[in-house]
Amino acid sequence: MTITVLGCSGSYAAASQACTGFLIQSEAATVWLDAGPGTLANLQRHVGLRDLTAIVLSHEHPDHWLELPVVYSAVRYYEQRPPVPVYGTAGTLRLARALTPDLDHAFDWHVIADGDAAVIGDQQWRWSATDHYVETLACRVDSAGSSMVFSSDTGPRWQVAALGTGFDLALLESTYLADGEGHGLLHLSARQAGVQAAAAAAKRLVLTHLAPGQDREAHRRESLGAYGGPVEVAAIGDCYLI
Ligand SMILES: [Zn+2]
Ligand SMILES: [Zn+2]
């Protein structure tokens, strides 16, 4: 599998950045995971909308899905392709319908929830509900013997290991540093991401969802201290081959 970063700013995009979005590519599937504001333009540097096998949305917070109504216009009026399969929560569907009432012209929506699984081309997906303000689904993707996990947004009460262990790549939220812990916020610090990666015996850790203004090197160092394995901080255009 190849995982490409389309955007990785947490909550809102910093200058020249984009909110959360990744491209998950395997031999027989091209999946857009989270469609945060700014990621549609970056997606098209790699693939066209006609090449998409599916879109997967982790939760209804705007920084994770708000390109979708824009994609609707592209698919409905400009791109010659059948409706795009979308996997997202019931809450995200409700909001999407408010903006695009006839979304079925562009999307074939599959409501997903905790414990669900789906096969998308040659990718096997599984979801687990995290510790967040709204229904939020972390995911595990397996293809051709490789595995990755994406935490989406979560507080420390959810465990990556809920989706298994021994991942080739763990893509984990790192919104702030450890000095931001303990205020009841349902996000992960760099330290907590490192602890989670170690507990799940992940072979490689990539930090994402850093809030604008955060010090990337400080995040890398702090999570490395808790994890001990290789740590990278996501940047637009980065590509991970697993
Ligand atoms: Zn977020
Ligand atoms: Zn969120």
Side-chain angles (χ1 to χ4, degrees):
M1 271 188 292
T2 305
I3 296 107
T4 305
V5 181
L6 306 176
C8 48
S9 274
S11 301
Y12 72 98
S16 305
Q17 297 295 311
C19 293
T20 299
F22 303 95
L23 195 56
I24 315 293
Q25 292 174 287
S26 54
E27 191 74 30
T30 295
V31 179
W32 183 4
L33 169 58
D34 274 1
T39 54
L40 173 57
N42 293 337
L43 173 95
Q44 293 170 98
R45 292 162 57 181
H46 305 280
V47 298
L49 289 172
R50 259 172 272 187
D51 304 322
L52 283 179
T53 313
I55 297 172
V56 176
L57 304 171
S58 66
H59 67 301
E60 70 192 69
H61 281 159
D63 58 317
H64 292 258
W65 77 278
L66 259 186
E67 287 283 29
L68 204 71
V70 185
V71 176
Y72 167 86
S73 299
V75 170
R76 174 132 197 223
Y77 301 112
Y78 296 91
E79 295 281 341
Q80 301 303 314
R81 65 153 297 154
V84 186
V86 174
Y87 296 81
T89 64
T92 312
L93 174 58
R94 211 161 34 242
L95 292 175
R97 275 211 193 283
L99 292 173
T100 48
D102 51 359
L103 63 80
D104 306 293
H105 288 289
F107 303 124
D108 176 17
W109 200 292
H110 304 260
V111 173
I112 48 171
D114 185 35
D116 281 355
V119 175
I120 304 174
D122 58 352
Q123 302 177 8
Q124 295 83 49
W125 287 69
R126 264 180 57 205
W127 290 278
S128 169
T130 72
D131 171 26
H132 199 45
Y133 304 95
V134 294
E135 183 184 20
T136 299
L137 300 174
C139 61
R140 172 192 180 126
V141 189
D142 289 82
S143 187
S146 297
S147 62
M148 64 152 284
V149 64
F150 170 54
S151 65
S152 187
D153 291 0
T154 185
R157 284 202 302 269
W158 177 77
Q159 298 297 311
V160 171
L163 285 168
T165 56
F167 299 98
D168 295 296
L169 178 74
L171 187 53
L172 302 185
E173 177 191 357
S174 180
T175 296
Y176 36 64
L177 293 167
D179 60 9
E181 294 175 17
H183 303 294
L185 294 175
L186 300 181
H187 288 287
L188 291 183
S189 70
R191 185 194 70 80
Q192 289 166 329
V195 168
Q196 290 261 11
K203 296 173 188 148
R204 184 177 179 186
L205 170 60
V206 174
L207 302 176
T208 185
H209 205 275
L210 274 67
Q214 292 286 303
D215 179 341
R216 295 167 54 84
E217 182 52 24
H219 274 250
R220 200 191 62 78
R221 268 199 317 271
E222 187 178 283
S223 65
L224 183 65
Y227 169 48
V231 181
E232 292 152 88
V233 180
I236 289 175
D238 280 0
C239 207
Y240 314 109
L241 183 64
I242 58 171

